[in-house]
Amino acid sequence: MKPMIKLCNQPDGNYLMLGLGGGALLHALQYHLNNPTFDVVEINPEVIDIAKQYFYLDKINTANIFQEDANLYITSCKKKYDVILVDIYQDKTYPKHCATQTFFQACQKLLKQDGIIAINCANMSQYKLLLNQLRSVFNNAILTIRVAHPRNVILTATNQPFQTLLNRVQLKDLDWHEQSGAFGTLKE
């Protein structure tokens, strides 16, 4: 969760969250940001009900919750966002229909000029697929951020040159991997 919070550095920005989970990230962002607006898309109505019942989702008054498939939402949405956070795993699988060039092109259209997309890659067997789809859309302006615990990574991309990502995130280190591209670790 910390890397996702650090990527959201637009205090009064517009944020799109694809995937709700228990709402912990939403609560954390609400606490860390000044006057944010959130659109949250969650496909599973049970997840929304549990977040309302046990995790005080109703206490967040700056969040609009949409019970909808992320792919359908992004293809019909007309808003622009500073950051799109994608965490839509179902068990340990990233949905195939959201791991396509078309999906990421639709996300790209929703980003403001200097906006970024951040995807939680919780299953490393799907990393290469997601990375390649992002490369096809974002012209290699992509940074993979290491996450120590659990063993996942955050893929970030922007419509701007790669340097824009480096200016947006505070990195402790930056490496280059021939197959993966830029890899970094966030400063604590």
Side-chain angles (χ1 to χ4, degrees):
M1 194 163 51
K2 280 184 182 179
M4 293 291 226
I5 293 168
K6 288 184 177 243
L7 292 168
C8 297
N9 53 10
Q10 303 293 321
D12 57 353
N14 287 326
Y15 294 89
L16 174 60
M17 295 179 65
L18 302 177
L20 172 64
L25 179 59
L26 188 58
H27 279 287
L29 288 171
Q30 178 76 19
Y31 176 78
H32 282 82
L33 300 170
N34 190 15
N35 190 24
T37 303
F38 301 99
D39 288 338
V40 182
V41 180
E42 173 58 52
I43 193 169
N44 189 338
E46 291 177 23
V47 169
I48 297 170
D49 290 341
I50 289 168
K52 286 179 180 177
Q53 187 174 359
Y54 297 104
F55 300 106
Y56 307 103
L57 182 63
D58 293 336
K59 301 286 184 195
I60 301 174
N61 57 7
T62 61
N64 304 304
I65 310 297
F66 301 95
Q67 193 268 303
E68 190 172 350
D69 182 277
N71 197 34
L72 295 175
Y73 181 87
I74 64 164
T75 56
S76 63
C77 182
K78 303 294 183 216
K79 292 174 84 173
K80 294 286 187 179
Y81 296 97
D82 295 292
V83 179
I84 299 174
L85 301 168
V86 183
D87 193 359
I88 54 177
Y89 276 82
Q90 297 166 339
D91 294 318
K92 294 183 179 184
T93 305
Y94 190 94
K96 289 181 182 176
H97 68 285
C98 295
T100 65
Q101 184 178 25
T102 304
F103 176 83
F104 290 115
Q105 284 171 334
C107 287
Q108 181 186 44
K109 290 178 184 174
L110 298 181
L111 287 174
K112 290 183 179 178
Q113 184 176 356
D114 61 345
I116 63 169
I117 183 170
I119 300 123
N120 180 25
C121 182
N123 183 340
M124 289 307 289
S125 68
Q126 296 168 315
Y127 170 75
K128 197 71 168 169
L129 170 66
L130 295 172
L131 177 65
N132 288 336
Q133 296 299 353
L134 283 172
R135 281 180 172 160
S136 70
V137 174
F138 288 93
N139 298 319
N140 289 322
I142 299 161
L143 171 65
T144 301
I145 299 173
R146 293 179 193 92
V147 179
H149 302 288
R151 294 188 53 120
N152 59 336
V153 295
I154 307 295
L155 286 157
T156 61
T158 183
N159 290 322
Q160 297 297 310
F162 179 73
Q163 185 63 43
T164 304
L165 276 176
L166 295 180
N167 294 342
R168 263 312 264 283
V169 297
Q170 304 260 323
L171 294 177
K172 179 169 52 175
D173 59 50
L174 180 64
D175 297 317
W176 180 262
H177 294 249
E178 191 171 317
Q179 293 183 353
S180 301
F183 243 88
T185 306
L186 291 174
K187 285 184 181 176
E188 291 297 318

